[in-house]
Amino acid sequence: MEVGAAAEAEPLLPPRTWRAGRGLWRAGGGGARSATEDGTGADNDLYINQAIVFIEDAIQYRSINHRVDSKSLWLYRWYYSRTCQWILSLTITIILALAFLEKPSSLTITSDVRYRLPAWNPPCGLTESIELLCFLVFMVDVSVKSYLIGWEEFWKNKWLVAYILTLIVSLTDWIVSLSFFCTENVRIRRILRPFFLLQNSSMMKKTLKSINSTLPEMASVVLLLAVHLSLFTMFAMLLFARTKDGQQDKEWVGYFRNLPDSLTSLLVLLTTANNPDVMIPAYSMNRAYSIFFILFTVLGNLFLMNLLTAIIYNQFRGYLLKSVQSSLFRRRLGIRAAFEVLSSLREAPANAQQSYVSTGALLRVLQKVEMDSRCKQAIMRSLKMCSCDQLSAAQFQKLFEELDKDAIKQHPPSPEYQSRFMQKMQFACGHPYFGYLGNVVALANIVSICVVLVMDADKQPSERDDFFLGAINCFFILYYLLEMLLKILAMGLKRYLSYPSNRFDGLLTVILLVLEIATFAVYGFPHRGWRPEFMGLLSLWDMVRLVNMFIVFRFLRIIPNMKFMALVVTTLLDLVKNLRAFAGILLVVFYAFAITGIMLFKGVVVPLGNTSAVNTTYGNGTLQCGTYEQLEYWPNNFDDFAAAVVTLWDVMVVNNWQVFLEAFSRYSSPWAKIYFVTWWLISSVIWVNLFVALLLENFIHKWDRRCHREPLSDIEYQRTVELMFRDVLEEPTEEELMEKLHQHPHLQLCR
């Protein structure tokens, strides 16, 4: 069968031949041949490959609106293979990491402007060559994507159009850089780099769409905050106006001298970063002034900011639910498309009034589909248990509901011993009380370490006697080793290693044992006055401290035994797994703001001893308390990418962020405040509240499941964002699925 000539609209069924009772047809690709001439071979192979790709699309929640001829299917599977996706991910990582190497380079020990040595900067053309290779990979990526969905669909896809425009702008800026021999300060393509990460993640796109849909509701509260801030600013300027008495003008001089200073002071107070400093000058004159500041904080911080959190949680959860609902629809659509393709095989009866798929055809497809082995085995088991040779659409769809279930991990069985003594040992060491005993011993170890640390806190290293601490560490480590060996004996090595807590426990026990043996080999066994001179790579005190750090870390083993604490920790772990989209968006914003900050503020902060420093006056040559210089915030600057990221993090935390506002406004321009306030709004107000919303949703879902499910000791459940909302998602109807299939740009259905 000729498939290359009909790439634009590859059909499902033989050329222009009606299947009785099916209502499916396809437009011929090359020369029109009869269904008999086509035979079952070429057609059936095409249908099998189409079904494989559609099922893989369903597994990954991908759109099925792509070309489905043989060559395109091969290219499609090659593009989404692990190797190609790994190369694409590596390319994105490399182009983002270039910011650490490019001028200004971050390859210095410290970012402190007083002590930083000149950094090594790569010669012109080195990083640009790496960048060009990355651009070539991206051009191949966008070309393959555009071809697979078809040019008509390409112009409807805003992300791909933006991808092309980003590459054009980046390549143009790259050429300009080389023409200026890499001496220009503004490089637009650096700000655009995070787009490559954003467009490659479907979940990040959905999250960004959800955030964009939530913005109108957030804007109403932000506008209310702005009104609140403006009104209180007016009141403050009237309340703390300048007077003839210089003693009473401290509030005016320090915080409310003019409109920008007044707005900044109250904006910072909204985050409580300058509380109670901003209130003290006026409060020291008259206690009634405290009412103004308390009222501003209560209305702004306690009411409006928390109202913003509630709105973001409510609206974002709704939009995220819609996004996950669309993912479910994609999965159901992919499975239904696979059914329609397989029902076109010659194995199904031609005069059937309803479409069916043979179990043999589905088994052939499952053998080639790349999917989780657990799901594949479960579907095959259900298929073999089915007594019928033909599957209806409902039966076919039900088989693949295995994809929606919790990922379940069952632990291997314990070994069976014949000896009566070994059976008793297995029972004793496998009993929960044996684990409780280990927790008590670990707690005793922590308490003993705390006692020794408190006793030796004020002693010089030469005055310490490490005998007691060394002896108790030796005793506890031997117990941990014995406990690990007994657990392996009771549970068997495979079952022991199947529990993450045991792997964590065992790894730390082995590390502690190795460190203890190394300590004895270098410094001998503990004895009175055990204070040898420095030998080897680490001193004795350093070795003992390292051992104690691992022991303290090992105490986390008690978490699985405390149900509520285990619930909190599993919620956090699930959150980390599901946080990739949120973390990716934060990375995109961090990256763009860091590059922008370098363009705006690179080199503006200079040490006070430098003659080129900005003219800053201090009384009697002393530094004013609470300023950038007095607090020695010199490492926080925008002189390189790594320093810029840390500075943005410090501002996002909002502790003392008014110091950065004041310093960079003084060193560069008063307009610098706009940059920092914008960053605070995006990072601290919007993103942190989104994080809180996801944390609440995850915890509430975990709590509800804990209340309705009995704990099973040998089964572990793993959740994803899609499964979080599984109980409230609506199944698409058959009419909706068929209507969507009829709109497929490369398939034609008449049923």
Side-chain angles (χ1 to χ4, degrees):
M1 184 182 73
E2 300 293 328
V3 295
E8 285 294 331
E10 181 63 26
L12 278 173
L13 299 180
R16 299 194 181 279
T17 301
W18 283 87
R19 295 293 303 270
R22 303 286 175 89
L24 294 133
W25 68 282
R26 73 175 187 173
R33 293 185 294 174
S34 66
T36 305
E37 291 175 335
D38 283 345
T40 60
D43 278 348
N44 285 1
D45 287 343
L46 176 60
Y47 304 149
I48 291 293
N49 289 332
Q50 288 175 345
I52 290 170
V53 170
F54 286 148
I55 291 175
E56 289 178 348
D57 287 340
I59 294 170
Q60 300 298 331
Y61 300 103
R62 294 195 296 253
S63 171
I64 65 169
N65 293 336
H66 53 77
R67 299 176 189 263
V68 289
D69 61 277
S70 297
K71 292 181 180 179
S72 297
L73 289 175
W74 178 86
L75 179 62
Y76 186 84
R77 295 197 77 193
W78 172 82
Y79 174 77
Y80 282 107
S81 65
R82 292 183 179 179
T83 302
C84 286
Q85 292 302 305
W86 182 84
I87 291 174
L88 184 58
S89 300
L90 179 63
T91 304
I92 294 172
T93 304
I94 289 174
I95 198 169
L96 291 177
L98 284 178
F100 292 99
L101 303 176
E102 293 170 323
K103 184 179 180 180
S105 171
S106 301
L107 301 180
T108 55
I109 296 177
T110 178
S111 62
D112 194 317
V113 295
R114 298 170 298 177
Y115 313 125
R116 184 180 57 209
L117 298 175
W120 173 83
N121 289 309
C124 181
L126 178 60
T127 57
E128 285 74 15
S129 300
I130 299 174
E131 203 171 9
L132 180 60
L133 292 176
C134 295
F135 288 151
L136 292 176
V137 174
F138 294 142
M139 285 190 286
V140 172
D141 176 50
V142 72
S143 301
V144 172
K145 282 182 177 178
S146 304
Y147 170 77
L148 287 174
I149 67 171
W151 298 113
E152 185 176 342
E153 292 296 314
F154 164 78
W155 294 111
K156 299 178 183 177
N157 193 315
K158 296 179 181 178
W159 282 101
L160 283 181
V161 174
Y163 199 175
I164 293 285
L165 293 176
T166 302
L167 280 173
I168 292 173
V169 173
S170 298
L171 285 170
T172 304
D173 189 63
W174 182 85
I175 294 172
V176 171
S177 291
L178 288 184
S179 64
F180 282 94
F181 301 100
C182 312
T183 57
E184 82 287 0
N185 293 323
V186 178
R187 299 184 182 181
I188 301 174
R189 67 183 185 276
R190 290 185 179 181
I191 302 178
L192 299 178
R193 284 175 187 170
F195 178 83
F196 300 124
L197 173 65
L198 191 62
Q199 65 83 30
N200 195 49
S201 171
S202 60
M203 195 61 198
M204 284 177 63
K205 293 176 186 176
K206 292 177 184 178
T207 305
L208 191 64
K209 185 177 180 181
S210 300
I211 294 173
N212 185 54
S213 302
T214 312
L215 286 178
E217 287 76 13
M218 287 192 289
S220 62
V221 181
V222 172
L223 181 60
L224 191 57
L225 275 171
V227 172
H228 168 74
L229 184 63
S230 301
L231 289 177
F232 272 84
T233 299
M234 294 297 117
F235 287 141
M237 293 186 70
L238 293 171
L239 196 60
F240 306 113
R242 188 174 187 179
T243 63
K244 295 181 179 180
D245 187 358
Q247 188 67 23
Q248 296 183 359
D249 286 345
K250 291 183 179 179
E251 189 75 37
W252 175 81
V253 171
Y255 302 101
F256 299 101
R257 178 184 291 269
N258 49 48
L259 182 61
D261 287 351
S262 302
L263 278 171
T264 303
S265 299
L266 290 183
L267 178 63
V268 174
L269 180 60
L270 194 64
T271 65
T272 69
N274 61 351
N275 185 65
D277 299 358
V278 69
M279 181 180 70
I280 292 301
Y283 182 58
S284 64
M285 300 301 298
N286 191 328
R287 69 178 70 212
Y289 284 125
S290 63
I291 299 175
F292 171 83
F293 295 99
I294 293 173
L295 188 61
F296 174 83
T297 305
V298 168
L299 291 177
N301 187 267
L302 299 183
F303 283 95
L304 293 180
M305 294 297 286
N306 288 319
L307 178 63
L308 181 64
T309 302
I311 289 176
I312 290 177
Y313 170 72
N314 184 57
Q315 295 294 329
F316 181 75
R317 182 185 184 277
Y319 287 113
L320 185 60
L321 178 60
K322 289 181 182 178
S323 178
V324 176
Q325 179 73 54
S326 68
S327 295
L328 177 68
F329 185 85
R330 281 189 174 188
R331 172 166 286 182
R332 297 293 182 262
L333 186 64
I335 298 299
R336 185 54 186 259
F339 173 82
E340 295 295 333
V341 168
L342 292 177
S343 67
S344 307
L345 292 173
R346 307 290 175 167
E347 302 172 12
N351 58 353
Q353 296 300 317
Q354 187 179 358
S355 297
Y356 288 94
V357 170
S358 69
T359 55
L362 181 55
L363 282 173
R364 286 160 54 195
V365 169
L366 288 174
Q367 289 172 356
K368 298 181 180 180
V369 169
E370 291 187 7
M371 61 188 301
D372 183 65
S373 59
R374 175 193 64 83
C375 292
K376 182 182 290 190
Q377 292 171 4
I379 293 173
M380 286 186 168
R381 281 197 303 268
S382 301
L383 205 55
K384 291 177 181 178
M385 292 172 60
C386 181
S387 57
C388 54
D389 295 331
Q390 305 288 337
L391 296 172
S392 65
Q395 291 173 321
F396 190 89
Q397 195 76 254
K398 189 173 181 60
L399 276 176
F400 285 92
E401 288 182 0
E402 191 69 33
L403 298 172
D404 304 325
K405 295 180 180 178
D406 294 348
I408 301 175
K409 179 181 178 181
Q410 292 187 341
H411 300 284
S414 300
E416 297 181 1
Y417 294 107
Q418 301 298 326
S419 170
R420 185 72 176 172
F421 173 76
M422 292 301 296
Q423 290 177 357
K424 290 183 178 180
M425 285 287 296
Q426 186 180 36
F427 174 78
C429 298
H431 199 278
Y433 286 159
F434 185 73
Y436 298 153
L437 176 62
N439 293 336
V440 171
V441 173
L443 179 60
N445 195 179
I446 294 294
V447 171
S448 62
I449 292 175
C450 290
V451 170
V452 174
L453 290 178
V454 170
M455 293 173 59
D456 294 344
D458 297 326
K459 294 181 179 179
Q460 294 291 333
S462 58
E463 299 174 352
R464 296 191 187 105
D465 187 353
D466 296 322
F467 166 70
F468 178 69
L469 193 56
I472 61 174
N473 281 348
C474 181
F475 168 77
F476 284 114
I477 290 172
L478 288 176
Y479 175 82
Y480 298 151
L481 177 63
L482 178 63
E483 181 190 33
M484 182 183 71
L485 295 176
L486 290 176
K487 281 188 175 182
I488 293 175
L489 180 68
M491 305 171 67
L493 183 60
K494 289 184 178 180
R495 183 177 176 83
Y496 177 85
L497 294 176
S498 66
Y499 289 91
S501 58
N502 285 341
R503 293 197 297 269
F504 170 79
D505 202 14
L507 177 63
L508 288 183
T509 299
V510 172
I511 293 175
L512 287 171
L513 183 63
V514 171
L515 286 174
E516 197 71 5
I517 292 174
T519 303
F520 293 159
V522 175
Y523 297 107
F525 288 95
H527 54 272
R528 290 290 180 185
W530 195 40
R531 294 189 303 273
E533 297 296 328
F534 182 90
M535 297 172 63
L537 296 176
L538 296 173
S539 67
L540 175 63
W541 176 238
D542 291 332
M543 294 284 283
V544 172
R545 281 195 304 165
L546 187 59
V547 169
N548 290 336
M549 278 189 259
F550 278 109
I551 289 175
V552 172
F553 192 56
R554 187 183 180 277
F555 186 65
L556 296 176
R557 57 169 280 167
I558 70 166
I559 290 176
N561 299 116
M562 303 178 68
K563 291 184 178 180
F564 187 77
M565 187 182 294
L567 175 67
V568 174
V569 172
T570 53
T571 300
L572 292 176
L573 292 177
D574 282 350
L575 191 64
V576 170
K577 297 175 187 176
N578 298 325
L579 201 62
R580 287 178 294 180
F582 290 87
I585 291 175
L586 183 64
L587 175 62
V588 167
V589 179
F590 250 108
Y591 199 100
F593 266 83
I595 295 297
T596 306
I598 292 173
M599 293 179 182
L600 295 175
F601 308 119
K602 178 182 177 295
V604 300
V605 176
V606 290
L608 290 177
N610 195 321
T611 56
S612 62
V614 177
N615 184 23
T616 308
T617 59
Y618 300 100
N620 300 326
T622 60
L623 297 174
Q624 184 178 348
C625 183
T627 60
Y628 182 92
E629 295 80 8
Q630 187 269 330
L631 294 172
E632 296 190 341
Y633 280 6
W634 302 108
N636 290 293
N637 53 65
F638 290 89
D639 289 355
D640 60 70
F641 184 76
V645 170
V646 175
T647 303
L648 290 175
W649 172 264
D650 291 338
V651 175
M652 187 180 77
V653 176
V654 301
N655 185 36
N656 269 0
W657 73 295
Q658 74 277 9
V659 175
F660 299 100
L661 283 173
E662 186 273 333
F664 283 93
S665 299
R666 176 161 41 85
Y667 278 111
S668 58
S669 164
W671 295 102
K673 293 180 180 179
I674 297 177
Y675 172 85
F676 289 98
V677 171
T678 305
W679 170 248
W680 167 74
L681 278 173
I682 293 176
S683 63
S684 186
V685 176
I686 297 178
W687 190 89
V688 170
N689 280 305
L690 288 173
F691 176 81
V692 171
L694 183 61
L695 179 64
L696 286 173
E697 183 61 30
N698 208 334
F699 182 80
I700 291 171
H701 186 81
K702 277 275 187 182
W703 184 266
D704 291 341
R705 292 180 71 242
R706 176 178 179 267
C707 296
H708 293 92
R709 173 178 286 171
E710 292 296 326
L712 300 175
S713 59
D714 283 354
I715 297 180
E716 294 178 4
Y717 293 88
Q718 301 168 357
R719 305 292 284 183
T720 62
V721 170
E722 289 80 8
L723 291 177
M724 279 173 56
F725 298 100
R726 187 67 189 90
D727 298 336
V728 294
L729 296 179
E730 296 180 0
E731 286 289 339
T733 63
E734 183 175 357
E735 290 75 15
E736 292 173 337
L737 294 175
M738 294 307 298
E739 180 183 359
K740 194 67 176 179
L741 280 177
H742 277 287
Q743 298 172 2
H744 195 290
H746 306 292
L747 294 178
Q748 297 183 13
L749 299 175
C750 297
R751 185 165 71 87

